Amino acid sequence: MMNCIKNTLKKIMSFMTAATMIFAISAFPQNTSEAAQIPETNLKEMANELAFLVNEFRAENGLNPIYVVPYMSDMAAVRARECIADFSHLRPDGSKFSTIIDRSIVPYSVAFENIAAGLETPAETLEQWKSSEKHVGVLLRPDVTHMGVGVGYEENSIYEWYWEQNFVICEEDIQGQYIPTRYDITPQAEGDITGDAVVDSYDYIALADYIYKKKNNIPVYLNDAQLETADCFRDGLITESDAKVMVRYILGEYTTLPFVF
């Protein structure tokens, strides 16, 4: 009887081991190229992080931030892919990198490009550029106004990782332009510009800073949700009047936002 039980247990253990091995094998991609793919959303997040770091570097050097333009970033992603085949400032057809930017969309006067390869993170890539006088010269140009950032990855290529930034000088606003932030802030209440679910002096400072910079043509960005909650009168305008309303709300003189007469 005991031997029969032992034999049965052995059979069960053998079956479980075999089943575990089958599961383990099926859990890994059968196509190595599939395993090497990086989701496009991840690449875009890395590109946004690099743009944020560039503006952080400019701030450290007393310079205004550069707007990011989604169209320019899309073109930068194309250029990053082109660099996988030929790591060069020239495009596959031999034309200059700047030909990828449609002047009817981005009416620029001058364009610049930084490229890098072989580095896995935005921080490492920026450090490589910072070690090059030529690249730093582009990053810290006071007159650069807009940029796009793209990342490409190909496991079976020379460098695997490829980074591209295009910069332009443009006197006009470009559709979709924004100042990149490390995190996308979502207001949790009316007047909550900072996204911490509390309306306090930090929200007032953010609102006052936005109003001042817009008034003085200094690049500044709030996302659509922040702009909506900052409009304390809901009149489609963000002015000193909204800031005054917020102050009175913080002091308890007003009990609701947005303010209604």
Side-chain angles (χ1 to χ4, degrees):
M1 183 68 177
M2 185 61 68
N3 289 334
C4 182
I5 294 173
K6 286 183 178 180
N7 289 335
T8 302
L9 287 173
K10 285 181 179 180
K11 289 180 181 179
I12 294 172
M13 291 300 294
S14 296
F15 173 78
M16 291 179 65
T17 301
T20 302
M21 290 178 67
I22 292 171
F23 174 78
I25 291 171
S26 63
F28 290 95
Q30 301 302 303
N31 188 326
T32 55
S33 63
E34 291 180 4
Q37 289 179 352
I38 305 295
E40 184 178 351
T41 53
N42 290 20
L43 295 178
K44 287 186 175 181
E45 288 174 2
M46 296 170 77
N48 187 73
E49 173 70 8
L50 180 54
F52 176 85
L53 292 175
V54 167
N55 278 337
E56 193 173 60
F57 179 49
R58 286 175 63 86
E60 292 169 0
N61 287 272
L63 296 172
N64 288 334
I66 305 172
Y67 284 112
V68 170
V69 179
Y71 164 75
M72 292 177 63
S73 288
D74 289 342
M75 297 303 98
V78 173
R79 281 288 299 132
R81 294 295 306 177
E82 291 179 351
C83 284
I84 294 174
D86 181 16
F87 188 65
S88 166
H89 288 293
L90 297 178
R91 302 192 64 199
D93 63 0
S95 62
K96 293 181 179 179
F97 72 88
S98 55
T99 61
I100 200 167
I101 302 174
D102 186 337
R103 265 202 168 99
S104 67
I105 299 175
V106 180
Y108 66 90
S109 57
V110 186
F112 310 91
E113 180 181 64
N114 279 348
I115 57 176
L119 301 165
E120 296 184 15
T121 68
E124 291 174 321
T125 301
L126 180 60
E127 287 303 314
Q128 184 186 76
W129 283 333
K130 286 164 66 174
S131 66
S132 163
E133 183 177 349
K134 184 176 181 180
H135 291 95
V136 168
V138 175
L139 294 172
L140 297 182
R141 279 190 69 108
D143 53 354
V144 165
T145 56
H146 299 80
M147 67 175 163
V149 186
V151 188
Y153 177 80
E154 185 65 50
E155 183 184 39
N156 298 317
S157 63
I158 298 175
Y159 303 111
E160 294 191 0
W161 289 93
Y162 300 81
W163 305 77
E164 198 269 1
Q165 283 188 315
N166 50 57
F167 302 86
V168 299
I169 299 173
C170 184
E171 296 181 359
E172 302 178 23
D173 287 343
I174 302 173
Q175 184 177 6
Q177 66 182 34
Y178 66 94
I179 301 298
T181 56
R182 182 163 267 141
Y183 307 104
D184 189 18
I185 297 173
T186 302
Q188 303 298 312
E190 294 292 345
D192 175 27
I193 298 174
T194 59
D196 62 358
V198 178
V199 181
D200 54 21
S201 59
Y202 292 105
D203 298 288
Y204 170 76
I205 291 171
L207 177 56
D209 179 68
Y210 176 83
I211 294 169
Y212 171 79
K213 288 181 177 178
K214 289 293 286 187
K215 198 172 185 178
N216 291 276
N217 296 316
I218 300 172
V220 61
Y221 173 75
L222 294 178
N223 62 39
D224 290 343
Q226 288 175 297
L227 290 173
E228 182 179 354
T229 199
D231 183 7
C232 296
F233 275 115
R234 284 295 192 275
D235 59 358
L237 302 173
I238 298 178
T239 66
E240 287 85 351
S241 297
D242 295 290
K244 291 177 182 178
V245 167
M246 183 173 286
V247 168
R248 292 192 173 189
Y249 177 81
I250 293 171
L251 293 175
E253 296 178 21
Y254 294 159
T255 57
T256 61
L257 288 177
F259 176 74
V260 178
F261 285 105

